[in-house]
Amino acid sequence: MTIGVARRPRRGVSLADVVVVLFLVGVVFLFIIMGMTRARESARLTICQRNLAQIGQALTYYDGAFRGLPTVSLPVAANEPMDKAPPGPLKTMLAALGVADFIGINVEMKNLPELHAPTPEGSVPVAGFFCPNDVEALARRFSSPVSYRASVGSDLGGTDGAFAVGRGATLKEVERRDGLSFTAAFAERLLGDGGRERSRQNYVVVDHVGSGESASGAAGSWRGDAGSTWIPADFRYTLYTHAQRPWANVSQVATDGRTSDMSASSSHVAGLNLLMLDGSARVVTPSIAPEVWRAYGSIGPEPTAPEN
């Protein structure tokens, strides 16, 4: 007689088991999404740095061909029509080099006008002029957006930078004074949101530019067209100063257009990209010391000869 062994009944899947499995699947899915987000942001940061690097190549080529960097003339007043404004550095280089954009340019190339389509005219977008991480640029709110601005200096009037208003400079001079790797050429700046409300993206037009971050801007008129065109030399669109740190709460432009504390800004998680005159792009974080930021914005004095 065979004595059978009693089999234990199989236990079904409990609610707790389902919850644990769903939790683990959710955690894995979350890590996948986070990895994709980081990869996407890293790619956009790299594209932005590449855009700036191409501007740096164009600067080097322009300086070699014309013996100096593009000169910025005095901007027009805020109520003056843009057709009376002088050309900005990017427009000057496009026209002088005879190209539609700077993609693919390097200082060893010859016959640059043959590389691209004719120089763009009017308010048209230019490849490589806007950051892929700026939602306003991607939204096509403006017809000719520009995310990269030329540094005019460390003060409100833009008197000591690589593109100081009314003053020409050469790469050789900058290298002698302050070093190309320590002098800012271009920086990112978020486009405006198209409205007239106060925000870090927008700027305020005031009769007198105040003391940077401490100024409220309440008495001025807020505008949301920051960076809406790459064409003119103007604090509202293509120029910026190192008078205050990046991501300042308030950016101001004087009514007469001659002074500003337009700050740099970016939506990259790592920080904003800053192009130096040696062609390198470095990431700057909001915690940068004010004195370091201002030093980047100025060319610096002539070095003194050592005493015998």
Side-chain angles (χ1 to χ4, degrees), residues 115-227:
L115 296 178
H116 298 287
T119 302
E121 296 182 2
S123 297
V124 296
V126 174
F129 276 13
F130 46 89
C131 172
N133 216 43
D134 191 331
V135 294
E136 299 298 339
L138 300 179
R140 305 297 186 188
R141 185 184 302 278
F142 306 115
S143 60
S144 54
V146 60
S147 300
Y148 310 116
R149 293 173 175 246
S151 171
V152 295
S154 62
D155 57 3
L156 300 177
T159 63
D160 59 359
F163 301 95
V165 177
R167 175 191 180 280
T170 68
L171 292 181
K172 185 176 181 180
E173 173 194 359
V174 177
E175 178 62 33
R176 184 180 67 250
R177 288 187 173 208
D178 217 15
L180 297 176
S181 61
F182 298 100
T183 308
F186 281 78
E188 288 186 86
R189 210 286 179 179
L190 289 171
L191 273 67
D193 61 16
R196 289 184 173 272
E197 295 77 28
R198 172 175 176 164
S199 75
R200 285 189 174 186
Q201 292 173 259
N202 299 337
Y203 64 93
V204 60
V205 177
V206 294
D207 291 335
H208 176 70
V209 177
S211 56
E213 295 182 32
S214 64
S216 67
S221 172
W222 282 90
R223 300 188 183 183
D225 63 344

Side-chain angles (χ1 to χ4, degrees), residues 4 17 27 44 63 81 88 122 152 154 157-158 175 178 181 189 192 195 211 216 219 250 257 259 262 272 280:
D17 294 331
V27 170
R44 290 173 177 172
D63 178 82
V152 295
S154 62
E175 178 62 33
D178 217 15
S181 61
R189 210 286 179 179
S211 56
S216 67
V250 177
T259 55
M262 180 65 71
L272 72 85
S280 64

